[in-house]
Amino acid sequence: MPSPVPAPYAESRPLPPYRALFAVDAKDFTGLPAVQHGPVSRLIPELVDQALDRAGLHELRETKRFPANTGDGVVFGFDPVLLPFVLWPFLGVLDDTLGAYNKQCVGPRIRLRASVHVGPLPDADRPGDGNGTVRNDTHRLLDSRPVKAILTAASEQVTHLAAVVSQRVYEDVVIGGYTGLHPDRCVEVPATVEGKNFS
């Protein structure tokens, strides 16, 4: 018998734990020949894991929550206490890792969009964990016009990663002064997605 779907507003229930989310997807993935989709799909998580190691985030690499390969990228949850380190140095290290790969690669160049968000998500080692509004919004941020436009406009020789962080992450982590990422390195943008009710 399937589990019943809870009705909102019918009763009070415990709020799920706060989880940070990190997601990336590849620029122009669908434009690649089909024969390259599988290898690139396997390569992206390898590059992300290399960057986590190089940034000293071995614990995060080993304790990812509800990790998923999305075909053209990856998404995973993690303890929000590590958000400052994901914003800096990890994002910079990931850009460097992609740059080093792109300089020596013989296949397609890998340029990524990244998004970082935080909020309540189910996390009880059950199927469906990690799904909710926070995850939806993390993917909407990836698909938002500004991050796509910035990566498209930037030099592919220099910029291998464009990252967007949610307002909540920006206020709590960057403005709060908990990360090495200075606010002046950030540009405020209205993150909208064509055809979606998201802002």
Side-chain angles (χ1 to χ4, degrees):
M1 188 82 172
S3 300
V5 176
Y9 319 114
E11 63 180 330
S12 294
R13 56 184 58 88
L15 187 68
Y18 271 61
R19 293 292 176 253
L21 274 179
F22 174 80
V24 294
D25 68 5
K27 182 181 186 304
D28 299 330
F29 180 82
T30 56
L32 295 174
V35 71
Q36 293 181 328
H37 283 202
V40 170
S41 185
R42 290 186 297 275
L43 175 62
I44 292 170
E46 291 174 14
L47 292 169
V48 169
D49 283 349
Q50 284 177 22
L52 285 169
D53 283 340
R54 289 177 182 162
L57 293 170
H58 314 288
E59 178 187 348
L60 190 156
R61 179 182 177 185
E62 299 303 318
T63 59
K64 293 175 191 167
R65 302 301 302 156
F66 33 85
N69 186 315
T70 59
D72 66 344
V74 294
V75 61
F76 56 83
F78 59 96
D79 187 334
V81 74
L82 297 173
L83 272 169
F85 307 99
V86 167
L87 295 186
W88 198 263
F90 172 66
L91 290 176
V93 172
L94 180 56
D95 185 62
D96 292 344
T97 301
L98 293 168
Y101 171 81
N102 287 333
K103 283 180 186 163
Q104 57 82 35
C105 76
V106 292
R109 297 174 65 79
I110 306 296
R111 298 179 74 214
L112 300 176
R113 294 184 302 271
S115 65
V116 184
H117 193 23
V118 67
L121 284 170
D123 187 5
D125 290 321
R126 293 188 302 219
D129 278 0
N131 291 319
T133 302
V134 175
R135 177 133 178 205
N136 293 341
D137 289 351
T138 301
H139 289 287
R140 298 276 190 267
L141 287 167
L142 271 184
D143 290 335
S144 66
R145 290 178 187 155
V147 72
K148 286 183 172 186
I150 287 170
L151 192 57
T152 298
S155 166
E156 70 176 44
Q157 301 301 317
V158 176
T159 304
H160 310 280
L161 175 72
V164 58
V165 300
S166 68
Q167 184 72 25
R168 182 179 297 160
V169 170
Y170 179 75
E171 289 175 2
D172 292 351
V173 182
V174 179
I175 297 301
Y178 289 101
T179 183
L181 179 67
H182 194 280
D184 290 350
R185 293 185 66 121
C186 302
V187 176
E188 184 175 5
V189 295
T192 58
V193 179
E194 193 169 328
K196 303 286 183 184
N197 184 18
F198 172 78
S199 175

mmCIF file of all heavy atoms in Angstrom, residues 27-66:
data_model
loop_
_atom_site.group_PDB
_atom_site.id
_atom_site.type_symbol
_atom_site.label_atom_id
_atom_site.label_comp_id
_atom_site.label_asym_id
_atom_site.label_seq_id
_atom_site.Cartn_x
_atom_site.Cartn_y
_atom_site.Cartn_z
ATOM 1 N N LYS A 27 27.106 23.705 -19.634
ATOM 2 C CA LYS A 27 26.693 24.570 -20.726
ATOM 3 C C LYS A 27 26.728 23.766 -22.028
ATOM 4 O O LYS A 27 27.688 23.056 -22.305
ATOM 5 C CB LYS A 27 27.632 25.776 -20.822
ATOM 6 C CG LYS A 27 27.269 26.768 -21.907
ATOM 7 C CD LYS A 27 28.262 27.914 -21.947
ATOM 8 C CE LYS A 27 27.860 28.992 -22.920
ATOM 9 N NZ LYS A 27 27.638 28.515 -24.286
ATOM 10 N N ASP A 28 25.672 23.885 -22.814
ATOM 11 C CA ASP A 28 25.569 23.285 -24.152
ATOM 12 C C ASP A 28 25.670 21.760 -24.162
ATOM 13 O O ASP A 28 26.065 21.174 -25.164
ATOM 14 C CB ASP A 28 26.627 23.870 -25.098
ATOM 15 C CG ASP A 28 26.464 25.368 -25.285
ATOM 16 O OD1 ASP A 28 25.325 25.863 -25.206
ATOM 17 O OD2 ASP A 28 27.485 26.040 -25.520
ATOM 18 N N PHE A 29 25.274 21.104 -23.077
ATOM 19 C CA PHE A 29 25.355 19.646 -23.012
ATOM 20 C C PHE A 29 24.523 18.990 -24.108
ATOM 21 O O PHE A 29 24.970 18.045 -24.756
ATOM 22 C CB PHE A 29 24.892 19.153 -21.637
ATOM 23 C CG PHE A 29 24.936 17.666 -21.464
ATOM 24 C CD1 PHE A 29 26.116 17.020 -21.140
ATOM 25 C CD2 PHE A 29 23.786 16.894 -21.606
ATOM 26 C CE1 PHE A 29 26.170 15.651 -20.969
ATOM 27 C CE2 PHE A 29 23.816 15.525 -21.445
ATOM 28 C CZ PHE A 29 25.005 14.901 -21.119
ATOM 29 N N THR A 30 23.312 19.482 -24.329
ATOM 30 C CA THR A 30 22.443 18.845 -25.321
ATOM 31 C C THR A 30 22.956 19.029 -26.738
ATOM 32 O O THR A 30 22.539 18.303 -27.640
ATOM 33 C CB THR A 30 20.994 19.366 -25.232
ATOM 34 O OG1 THR A 30 21.009 20.797 -25.370
ATOM 35 C CG2 THR A 30 20.364 18.988 -23.902
ATOM 36 N N GLY A 31 23.874 19.972 -26.948
ATOM 37 C CA GLY A 31 24.460 20.174 -28.268
ATOM 38 C C GLY A 31 25.589 19.199 -28.583
ATOM 39 O O GLY A 31 26.068 19.149 -29.717
ATOM 40 N N LEU A 32 26.002 18.420 -27.579
ATOM 41 C CA LEU A 32 27.067 17.446 -27.809
ATOM 42 C C LEU A 32 26.529 16.267 -28.611
ATOM 43 O O LEU A 32 25.359 15.904 -28.485
ATOM 44 C CB LEU A 32 27.603 16.912 -26.471
ATOM 45 C CG LEU A 32 28.302 17.894 -25.544
ATOM 46 C CD1 LEU A 32 28.635 17.213 -24.219
ATOM 47 C CD2 LEU A 32 29.556 18.441 -26.200
ATOM 48 N N PRO A 33 27.383 15.616 -29.401
ATOM 49 C CA PRO A 33 26.976 14.374 -30.065
ATOM 50 C C PRO A 33 26.592 13.331 -29.007
ATOM 51 O O PRO A 33 27.183 13.277 -27.928
ATOM 52 C CB PRO A 33 28.221 13.939 -30.838
ATOM 53 C CG PRO A 33 29.049 15.180 -30.965
ATOM 54 C CD PRO A 33 28.747 16.014 -29.760
ATOM 55 N N ALA A 34 25.620 12.511 -29.315
ATOM 56 C CA ALA A 34 25.107 11.524 -28.363
ATOM 57 C C ALA A 34 26.205 10.644 -27.783
ATOM 58 O O ALA A 34 26.159 10.276 -26.599
ATOM 59 C CB ALA A 34 24.033 10.666 -29.020
ATOM 60 N N VAL A 35 27.216 10.316 -28.576
ATOM 61 C CA VAL A 35 28.284 9.440 -28.126
ATOM 62 C C VAL A 35 29.073 10.057 -26.962
ATOM 63 O O VAL A 35 29.715 9.341 -26.185
ATOM 64 C CB VAL A 35 29.225 9.058 -29.297
ATOM 65 C CG1 VAL A 35 30.079 10.246 -29.731
ATOM 66 C CG2 VAL A 35 30.090 7.861 -28.947
ATOM 67 N N GLN A 36 29.007 11.383 -26.788
ATOM 68 C CA GLN A 36 29.747 12.054 -25.718
ATOM 69 C C GLN A 36 28.916 12.246 -24.449
ATOM 70 O O GLN A 36 29.472 12.577 -23.404
ATOM 71 C CB GLN A 36 30.264 13.408 -26.212
ATOM 72 C CG GLN A 36 31.326 13.278 -27.285
ATOM 73 C CD GLN A 36 31.849 14.618 -27.757
ATOM 74 O OE1 GLN A 36 31.136 15.623 -27.777
ATOM 75 N NE2 GLN A 36 33.116 14.631 -28.148
ATOM 76 N N HIS A 37 27.601 12.047 -24.514
ATOM 77 C CA HIS A 37 26.757 12.307 -23.338
ATOM 78 C C HIS A 37 27.160 11.461 -22.138
ATOM 79 O O HIS A 37 27.315 11.992 -21.031
ATOM 80 C CB HIS A 37 25.285 12.085 -23.685
ATOM 81 C CG HIS A 37 24.699 13.208 -24.467
ATOM 82 N ND1 HIS A 37 23.357 13.443 -24.515
ATOM 83 C CD2 HIS A 37 25.257 14.161 -25.247
ATOM 84 C CE1 HIS A 37 23.105 14.491 -25.288
ATOM 85 N NE2 HIS A 37 24.260 14.937 -25.748
ATOM 86 N N GLY A 38 27.294 10.154 -22.311
ATOM 87 C CA GLY A 38 27.659 9.277 -21.191
ATOM 88 C C GLY A 38 28.999 9.630 -20.577
ATOM 89 O O GLY A 38 29.092 9.809 -19.353
ATOM 90 N N PRO A 39 30.061 9.749 -21.400
ATOM 91 C CA PRO A 39 31.363 10.094 -20.817
ATOM 92 C C PRO A 39 31.367 11.456 -20.108
ATOM 93 O O PRO A 39 31.963 11.590 -19.029
ATOM 94 C CB PRO A 39 32.301 10.101 -22.026
ATOM 95 C CG PRO A 39 31.673 9.138 -22.990
ATOM 96 C CD PRO A 39 30.192 9.331 -22.804
ATOM 97 N N VAL A 40 30.710 12.453 -20.681
ATOM 98 C CA VAL A 40 30.679 13.767 -20.022
ATOM 99 C C VAL A 40 29.847 13.687 -18.747
ATOM 100 O O VAL A 40 30.192 14.279 -17.723
ATOM 101 C CB VAL A 40 30.144 14.856 -20.986
ATOM 102 C CG1 VAL A 40 29.867 16.164 -20.249
ATOM 103 C CG2 VAL A 40 31.155 15.096 -22.112
ATOM 104 N N SER A 41 28.760 12.923 -18.774
ATOM 105 C CA SER A 41 27.917 12.745 -17.594
ATOM 106 C C SER A 41 28.700 12.106 -16.444
ATOM 107 O O SER A 41 28.480 12.429 -15.276
ATOM 108 C CB SER A 41 26.705 11.876 -17.955
ATOM 109 O OG SER A 41 25.826 11.776 -16.886
ATOM 110 N N ARG A 42 29.627 11.212 -16.751
ATOM 111 C CA ARG A 42 30.476 10.600 -15.720
ATOM 112 C C ARG A 42 31.618 11.528 -15.309
ATOM 113 O O ARG A 42 32.076 11.494 -14.167
ATOM 114 C CB ARG A 42 31.041 9.268 -16.224
ATOM 115 C CG ARG A 42 29.999 8.173 -16.345
ATOM 116 C CD ARG A 42 30.606 6.830 -16.707
ATOM 117 N NE ARG A 42 31.264 6.801 -18.004
ATOM 118 C CZ ARG A 42 30.644 6.572 -19.171
ATOM 119 N NH1 ARG A 42 29.345 6.368 -19.203
ATOM 120 N NH2 ARG A 42 31.327 6.564 -20.304
ATOM 121 N N LEU A 43 32.088 12.361 -16.228
ATOM 122 C CA LEU A 43 33.217 13.243 -15.966
ATOM 123 C C LEU A 43 32.863 14.371 -14.990
ATOM 124 O O LEU A 43 33.673 14.719 -14.125
ATOM 125 C CB LEU A 43 33.719 13.847 -17.285
ATOM 126 C CG LEU A 43 34.825 14.887 -17.196
ATOM 127 C CD1 LEU A 43 36.090 14.277 -16.592
ATOM 128 C CD2 LEU A 43 35.105 15.475 -18.568
ATOM 129 N N ILE A 44 31.683 14.926 -15.118
ATOM 130 C CA ILE A 44 31.321 16.091 -14.281
ATOM 131 C C ILE A 44 31.419 15.773 -12.790
ATOM 132 O O ILE A 44 32.061 16.526 -12.040
ATOM 133 C CB ILE A 44 29.943 16.651 -14.683
ATOM 134 C CG1 ILE A 44 30.042 17.267 -16.089
ATOM 135 C CG2 ILE A 44 29.446 17.678 -13.675
ATOM 136 C CD1 ILE A 44 28.706 17.634 -16.717
ATOM 137 N N PRO A 45 30.830 14.679 -12.284
ATOM 138 C CA PRO A 45 31.001 14.407 -10.850
ATOM 139 C C PRO A 45 32.448 14.152 -10.452
ATOM 140 O O PRO A 45 32.854 14.487 -9.339
ATOM 141 C CB PRO A 45 30.128 13.177 -10.591
ATOM 142 C CG PRO A 45 29.608 12.724 -11.886
ATOM 143 C CD PRO A 45 29.906 13.751 -12.919
ATOM 144 N N GLU A 46 33.238 13.586 -11.363
ATOM 145 C CA GLU A 46 34.659 13.380 -11.065
ATOM 146 C C GLU A 46 35.374 14.713 -10.876
ATOM 147 O O GLU A 46 36.180 14.877 -9.949
ATOM 148 C CB GLU A 46 35.334 12.588 -12.187
ATOM 149 C CG GLU A 46 34.911 11.144 -12.288
ATOM 150 C CD GLU A 46 35.498 10.441 -13.506
ATOM 151 O OE1 GLU A 46 36.446 10.982 -14.126
ATOM 152 O OE2 GLU A 46 35.004 9.350 -13.841
ATOM 153 N N LEU A 47 35.086 15.686 -11.741
ATOM 154 C CA LEU A 47 35.712 17.005 -11.624
ATOM 155 C C LEU A 47 35.255 17.718 -10.353
ATOM 156 O O LEU A 47 36.054 18.367 -9.668
ATOM 157 C CB LEU A 47 35.405 17.848 -12.865
ATOM 158 C CG LEU A 47 36.053 17.368 -14.166
ATOM 159 C CD1 LEU A 47 35.475 18.106 -15.371
ATOM 160 C CD2 LEU A 47 37.565 17.529 -14.109
ATOM 161 N N VAL A 48 33.973 17.594 -10.022
ATOM 162 C CA VAL A 48 33.456 18.206 -8.788
ATOM 163 C C VAL A 48 34.145 17.574 -7.581
ATOM 164 O O VAL A 48 34.585 18.283 -6.664
ATOM 165 C CB VAL A 48 31.921 18.067 -8.706
ATOM 166 C CG1 VAL A 48 31.405 18.446 -7.315
ATOM 167 C CG2 VAL A 48 31.246 18.937 -9.767
ATOM 168 N N ASP A 49 34.273 16.241 -7.566
ATOM 169 C CA ASP A 49 34.938 15.578 -6.441
ATOM 170 C C ASP A 49 36.418 15.952 -6.350
ATOM 171 O O ASP A 49 36.947 16.135 -5.246
ATOM 172 C CB ASP A 49 34.780 14.061 -6.543
ATOM 173 C CG ASP A 49 33.401 13.587 -6.116
ATOM 174 O OD1 ASP A 49 32.636 14.393 -5.544
ATOM 175 O OD2 ASP A 49 33.090 12.404 -6.356
ATOM 176 N N GLN A 50 37.101 16.080 -7.487
ATOM 177 C CA GLN A 50 38.502 16.536 -7.465
ATOM 178 C C GLN A 50 38.594 17.908 -6.814
ATOM 179 O O GLN A 50 39.489 18.158 -5.995
ATOM 180 C CB GLN A 50 39.058 16.615 -8.881
ATOM 181 C CG GLN A 50 39.418 15.311 -9.512
ATOM 182 C CD GLN A 50 39.905 15.510 -10.956
ATOM 183 O OE1 GLN A 50 40.350 16.586 -11.337
ATOM 184 N NE2 GLN A 50 39.808 14.451 -11.755
ATOM 185 N N ALA A 51 37.680 18.802 -7.185
ATOM 186 C CA ALA A 51 37.705 20.153 -6.623
ATOM 187 C C ALA A 51 37.391 20.140 -5.127
ATOM 188 O O ALA A 51 37.989 20.904 -4.361
ATOM 189 C CB ALA A 51 36.735 21.056 -7.379
ATOM 190 N N LEU A 52 36.455 19.293 -4.697
ATOM 191 C CA LEU A 52 36.173 19.182 -3.261
ATOM 192 C C LEU A 52 37.427 18.762 -2.514
ATOM 193 O O LEU A 52 37.758 19.341 -1.468
ATOM 194 C CB LEU A 52 35.045 18.177 -3.011
ATOM 195 C CG LEU A 52 33.629 18.637 -3.349
ATOM 196 C CD1 LEU A 52 32.654 17.469 -3.312
ATOM 197 C CD2 LEU A 52 33.171 19.756 -2.415
ATOM 198 N N ASP A 53 38.145 17.768 -3.048
ATOM 199 C CA ASP A 53 39.382 17.326 -2.408
ATOM 200 C C ASP A 53 40.422 18.443 -2.388
ATOM 201 O O ASP A 53 41.058 18.693 -1.367
ATOM 202 C CB ASP A 53 39.950 16.099 -3.114
ATOM 203 C CG ASP A 53 39.200 14.824 -2.762
ATOM 204 O OD1 ASP A 53 38.510 14.796 -1.721
ATOM 205 O OD2 ASP A 53 39.312 13.848 -3.534
ATOM 206 N N ARG A 54 40.611 19.114 -3.510
ATOM 207 C CA ARG A 54 41.608 20.187 -3.594
ATOM 208 C C ARG A 54 41.272 21.363 -2.683
ATOM 209 O O ARG A 54 42.166 22.082 -2.235
ATOM 210 C CB ARG A 54 41.740 20.675 -5.037
ATOM 211 C CG ARG A 54 42.413 19.663 -5.933
ATOM 212 C CD ARG A 54 42.482 20.129 -7.368
ATOM 213 N NE ARG A 54 43.092 19.111 -8.209
ATOM 214 C CZ ARG A 54 42.993 19.055 -9.520
ATOM 215 N NH1 ARG A 54 42.300 19.988 -10.166
ATOM 216 N NH2 ARG A 54 43.569 18.091 -10.189
ATOM 217 N N ALA A 55 39.978 21.549 -2.412
ATOM 218 C CA ALA A 55 39.551 22.634 -1.520
ATOM 219 C C ALA A 55 39.578 22.206 -0.052
ATOM 220 O O ALA A 55 39.205 22.989 0.824
ATOM 221 C CB ALA A 55 38.152 23.107 -1.909
ATOM 222 N N GLY A 56 40.006 20.982 0.216
ATOM 223 C CA GLY A 56 40.072 20.500 1.591
ATOM 224 C C GLY A 56 38.730 20.066 2.150
ATOM 225 O O GLY A 56 38.567 19.956 3.366
ATOM 226 N N LEU A 57 37.769 19.810 1.284
ATOM 227 C CA LEU A 57 36.428 19.421 1.719
ATOM 228 C C LEU A 57 36.214 17.916 1.563
ATOM 229 O O LEU A 57 35.201 17.453 1.037
ATOM 230 C CB LEU A 57 35.376 20.211 0.947
ATOM 231 C CG LEU A 57 35.360 21.710 1.244
ATOM 232 C CD1 LEU A 57 34.454 22.460 0.276
ATOM 233 C CD2 LEU A 57 34.937 21.964 2.689
ATOM 234 N N HIS A 58 37.180 17.135 2.057
ATOM 235 C CA HIS A 58 37.108 15.675 1.963
ATOM 236 C C HIS A 58 35.870 15.153 2.699
ATOM 237 O O HIS A 58 35.201 14.241 2.215
ATOM 238 C CB HIS A 58 38.364 15.032 2.548
ATOM 239 C CG HIS A 58 39.628 15.675 2.094
ATOM 240 N ND1 HIS A 58 40.123 15.529 0.813
ATOM 241 C CD2 HIS A 58 40.486 16.509 2.740
ATOM 242 C CE1 HIS A 58 41.235 16.229 0.696
ATOM 243 N NE2 HIS A 58 41.477 16.839 1.841
ATOM 244 N N GLU A 59 35.582 15.738 3.865
ATOM 245 C CA GLU A 59 34.428 15.296 4.661
ATOM 246 C C GLU A 59 33.136 15.500 3.878
ATOM 247 O O GLU A 59 32.271 14.629 3.860
ATOM 248 C CB GLU A 59 34.371 16.059 5.982
ATOM 249 C CG GLU A 59 33.173 15.686 6.832
ATOM 250 C CD GLU A 59 33.030 16.559 8.065
ATOM 251 O OE1 GLU A 59 33.963 17.306 8.410
ATOM 252 O OE2 GLU A 59 31.950 16.484 8.675
ATOM 253 N N LEU A 60 33.003 16.632 3.220
ATOM 254 C CA LEU A 60 31.797 16.885 2.437
ATOM 255 C C LEU A 60 31.678 15.860 1.308
ATOM 256 O O LEU A 60 30.598 15.319 1.055
ATOM 257 C CB LEU A 60 31.802 18.302 1.864
ATOM 258 C CG LEU A 60 30.495 18.776 1.238
ATOM 259 C CD1 LEU A 60 30.427 20.282 1.256
ATOM 260 C CD2 LEU A 60 30.315 18.274 -0.170
ATOM 261 N N ARG A 61 32.790 15.594 0.649
ATOM 262 C CA ARG A 61 32.770 14.621 -0.445
ATOM 263 C C ARG A 61 32.249 13.268 0.037
ATOM 264 O O ARG A 61 31.503 12.590 -0.666
ATOM 265 C CB ARG A 61 34.167 14.462 -1.029
ATOM 266 C CG ARG A 61 34.209 13.456 -2.159
ATOM 267 C CD ARG A 61 35.576 13.258 -2.718
ATOM 268 N NE ARG A 61 35.502 12.219 -3.749
ATOM 269 C CZ ARG A 61 36.522 11.740 -4.375
ATOM 270 N NH1 ARG A 61 37.725 12.196 -4.111
ATOM 271 N NH2 ARG A 61 36.372 10.807 -5.277
ATOM 272 N N GLU A 62 32.636 12.872 1.242
ATOM 273 C CA GLU A 62 32.259 11.557 1.766
ATOM 274 C C GLU A 62 30.872 11.534 2.408
ATOM 275 O O GLU A 62 30.333 10.448 2.634
ATOM 276 C CB GLU A 62 33.307 11.089 2.783
ATOM 277 C CG GLU A 62 34.700 10.932 2.189
ATOM 278 C CD GLU A 62 34.738 9.979 1.008
ATOM 279 O OE1 GLU A 62 34.082 8.924 1.080
ATOM 280 O OE2 GLU A 62 35.412 10.294 0.002
ATOM 281 N N THR A 63 30.310 12.693 2.723
ATOM 282 C CA THR A 63 29.039 12.719 3.458
ATOM 283 C C THR A 63 27.915 13.404 2.675
ATOM 284 O O THR A 63 26.947 13.874 3.281
ATOM 285 C CB THR A 63 29.210 13.429 4.822
ATOM 286 O OG1 THR A 63 29.662 14.773 4.596
ATOM 287 C CG2 THR A 63 30.188 12.683 5.716
ATOM 288 N N LYS A 64 28.025 13.447 1.359
ATOM 289 C CA LYS A 64 26.963 14.051 0.545
ATOM 290 C C LYS A 64 25.630 13.393 0.877
ATOM 291 O O LYS A 64 25.553 12.185 1.079
ATOM 292 C CB LYS A 64 27.239 13.838 -0.944
ATOM 293 C CG LYS A 64 28.433 14.551 -1.485
ATOM 294 C CD LYS A 64 28.642 14.134 -2.938
ATOM 295 C CE LYS A 64 29.972 14.598 -3.456
ATOM 296 N NZ LYS A 64 30.312 13.942 -4.722
ATOM 297 N N ARG A 65 24.607 14.210 0.907
ATOM 298 C CA ARG A 65 23.259 13.698 1.142
ATOM 299 C C ARG A 65 22.521 13.669 -0.192
ATOM 300 O O ARG A 65 22.661 14.577 -1.003
ATOM 301 C CB ARG A 65 22.506 14.591 2.136
ATOM 302 C CG ARG A 65 23.192 14.730 3.488
ATOM 303 C CD ARG A 65 23.385 13.411 4.189
ATOM 304 N NE ARG A 65 22.108 12.743 4.381
ATOM 305 C CZ ARG A 65 21.959 11.438 4.538
ATOM 306 N NH1 ARG A 65 23.009 10.636 4.523
ATOM 307 N NH2 ARG A 65 20.776 10.917 4.696
ATOM 308 N N PHE A 66 21.755 12.616 -0.395
ATOM 309 C CA PHE A 66 20.937 12.411 -1.609
ATOM 310 C C PHE A 66 21.615 12.905 -2.898
ATOM 311 O O PHE A 66 21.037 13.683 -3.641
ATOM 312 C CB PHE A 66 19.527 13.013 -1.467
ATOM 313 C CG PHE A 66 19.416 14.250 -0.624
ATOM 314 C CD1 PHE A 66 19.645 15.503 -1.163
ATOM 315 C CD2 PHE A 66 19.073 14.167 0.712
ATOM 316 C CE1 PHE A 66 19.528 16.646 -0.397
ATOM 317 C CE2 PHE A 66 18.965 15.312 1.488
ATOM 318 C CZ PHE A 66 19.190 16.547 0.939
#
